[in-house]
Amino acid sequence: MTDTATATLTGLLIFASSVWIGGLFAIAVVARVATATLDATTRVAFFRRLGRAYGIVGTVSLALAYGVGAALLYGRAWNGTLIAAVTVAAALAATLAAGVVQARRMTRLRHRSLDVPQDDVLASRVRSGAARAGGLRALIALLTLVLLALSVELGT
């Protein structure tokens, strides 16, 4: 690969990674502010729309990062760091898919809970689902940071 191609791909990788990582942290800040300032009905509607909008941006940025990363590593000898990076990337994709499914389930559950606010069983399901969602978000962030560290190691 030419130096120009490598530089261009590296720039794209930095851009895509920045969008992905920046989005993760921005959504965490937005979630705290929205929880503190919006009523439950508005918050559910807001996060439904935010999830759909960012889902496109986040998916494209992560797919671009994966594709560009693969292109930069094409033909490279496999070693422990590369195997770890591919494994973490696969785990991140799988965890993200689980997070999307769980987020959609939580939206439906929260909508039902808003319709029947006195249902304690439903409220309990919302609380336990929210705890699982927090765990998934934390795992997505952890896997992202581990993949970033492995990528830096592979790039040096």
Side-chain angles (χ1 to χ4, degrees):
M1 185 178 311
T2 67
D3 288 346
T4 302
T6 299
T8 301
L9 289 175
T10 301
L12 282 172
L13 180 61
I14 291 168
F15 171 74
S17 300
S18 298
V19 171
W20 173 253
I21 294 169
L24 288 178
F25 286 94
I27 287 173
V29 172
V30 168
R32 284 186 167 230
V33 172
T35 299
T37 59
L38 300 176
D39 65 85
T41 302
T42 305
R43 193 170 53 245
V44 169
F46 172 78
F47 279 109
R48 182 176 187 189
R49 294 186 90 178
L50 177 65
R52 288 181 175 178
Y54 185 74
I56 295 166
V57 173
T59 300
V60 169
S61 68
L62 189 60
L64 180 61
Y66 279 15
V68 170
L72 286 168
L73 294 171
Y74 180 76
R76 190 175 198 167
W78 286 81
N79 62 21
T81 305
L82 183 52
I83 292 167
V86 169
T87 302
V88 170
L92 175 57
T95 305
L96 183 60
V100 168
V101 169
Q102 199 271 348
R104 289 181 178 162
R105 186 178 315 124
M106 283 301 296
T107 297
R108 290 188 302 271
L109 190 61
R110 282 190 167 111
H111 271 290
R112 279 188 278 155
S113 178
L114 291 172
D115 291 339
V116 191
Q118 67 278 11
D119 188 333
D120 292 336
V121 172
L122 195 53
S124 176
R125 289 180 59 204
V126 168
R127 282 191 301 276
S128 64
R132 282 192 301 278
L136 278 171
R137 284 191 307 271
L139 183 55
I140 288 167
L142 176 64
L143 290 169
T144 295
L145 294 176
V146 169
L147 185 56
L148 175 63
L150 291 166
S151 299
V152 168
E153 177 65 27
L154 287 167
T156 58

